Amino acid sequence: MTLAQTLDELVTANRILAREGVVDSFGHVSIRHPDRPERYLLSRARAPECIEADDLLEFALDGTPIDPAGRTPYAERFIHGAVYHARPDVRAVVHHHSPSVIPFGVTGAPLSPVMHMCAGIGARVPTWDSRTRFGDTNLLVTNAAMAADLAAALGERPVILMRGHGCVVAGASLREVIFNSIYLQLNADLQMKAHPLGPVTFLSDGEVAAVLRTRGAFTYERAWEFWCRRAGRPYQARPMEGPHH
Ligand SMILES: [Zn+2]
């Protein structure tokens, strides 16, 4: 895949997140640079639905834009570099403020998979509270110190909530982080629906592991094609491997 095609997929990822209601005017998605692992690609500060290829910028992991040419970067771009620095396995990162996840971050209520499709969020989603180490702030992660603290709290997990703010989703591919962002939102909604009906039975750790063990690239591919169609974006097939569900 050429760099131009990779950038085009990043535009598509932005449009999908907007179409599926995961982001509104805010929130962003990045990919690690395919040829330079010490850099990442992220849009200038713009609503995801509006992003075009010309909006995409290259950043050093410390958040410095390489060639901004007058384009204003996101104030919270530091989140992305900190996760790429801490996690060599991560190739894509989403930061979003889905209203569905906010209640879990502010109450301490457990957020865990209630459905097989949502296993990718991890057996128990942790919450990071910026106030613990940084006191009263505007809650935005606008410097390297806050971003490093957030990335450390994420650890090896795929998702972390941010109290009173949103969440971070990290993964091995753009398709994976878009998939888990959308199913994170769905899982939060399903938990809110299930809770009034009675005690919730979550997937066990073993069930989560079994789902992920048998999930192949085809699962992400099938969902990506569907979401491309809904977002009105061209679909580029990728080579597939693993079980076909
Ligand atoms: Zn934010």
Side-chain angles (χ1 to χ4, degrees):
M1 184 178 274
T2 66
L3 183 60
Q5 287 172 320
T6 301
L7 293 173
D8 203 51
E9 294 225 314
L10 186 54
V11 172
T12 297
N14 277 278
R15 304 292 185 80
I16 289 172
L17 289 175
R19 173 66 181 82
E20 303 305 321
V22 175
V23 298
D24 49 15
S25 305
F26 304 94
H28 21 90
V29 51
S30 71
I31 50 173
R32 195 188 286 273
H33 194 295
D35 306 318
R36 299 189 191 95
E38 294 304 305
R39 292 187 180 174
Y40 63 94
L41 301 160
L42 175 71
S43 175
R44 72 177 172 99
R46 196 175 195 194
E49 177 69 32
C50 305
I51 287 168
E52 306 284 351
D54 286 347
D55 295 318
L56 302 178
L57 299 174
E58 194 172 318
F59 292 89
L61 293 192
D62 68 2
T64 305
I66 302 303
D67 181 22
R71 294 169 290 181
T72 305
Y74 290 118
E76 291 198 285
R77 63 190 179 279
F78 300 96
I79 294 170
H80 300 264
V83 173
Y84 292 125
H85 178 71
R87 292 274 301 274
D89 60 306
V90 167
R91 304 200 67 82
V93 174
V94 178
H95 167 58
H96 69 78
H97 309 153
S98 168
S100 300
V101 307
I102 301 301
F104 295 91
V106 298
T107 57
L111 178 58
S112 292
V114 292
M115 178 197 184
H116 67 303
M117 298 304 293
C118 306
I121 68 173
R124 176 72 183 267
V125 179
T127 298
W128 176 77
D129 188 338
S130 57
R131 198 191 293 155
T132 303
R133 284 196 55 193
F134 301 95
D136 289 339
T137 66
N138 66 1
L139 289 110
L140 302 182
V141 179
T142 52
N143 61 63
M146 290 180 82
D149 194 54
L150 172 59
L154 172 68
E156 298 303 309
R157 289 177 286 258
V159 180
I160 189 164
L161 303 184
M162 303 158 73
R163 192 268 308 162
H165 181 166
C167 67
V168 173
V169 181
S173 72
L174 194 57
R175 283 156 167 68
E176 182 182 320
V177 293
I178 297 303
F179 188 98
N180 284 338
S181 292
I182 291 168
Y183 279 106
L184 171 69
Q185 177 172 262
L186 178 65
N187 196 85
D189 290 340
L190 291 174
Q191 264 193 251
M192 296 290 279
K193 278 187 178 174
H195 185 72
L197 302 179
V200 175
T201 301
F202 298 105
L203 269 64
S204 69
D205 291 3
E207 287 172 335
V208 168
V211 169
L212 298 181
R213 200 165 51 240
T214 54
R215 174 171 290 168
F218 180 75
T219 303
Y220 299 126
E221 199 62 32
R222 178 165 151 180
W224 182 261
E225 182 182 15
F226 167 65
W227 288 322
C228 283
R229 179 71 63 93
R230 276 164 62 89
R233 291 284 299 169
Y235 164 66
Q236 303 177 67
R238 300 209 83 172
M240 291 177 198
E241 55 196 28
H244 291 207
H245 297 169

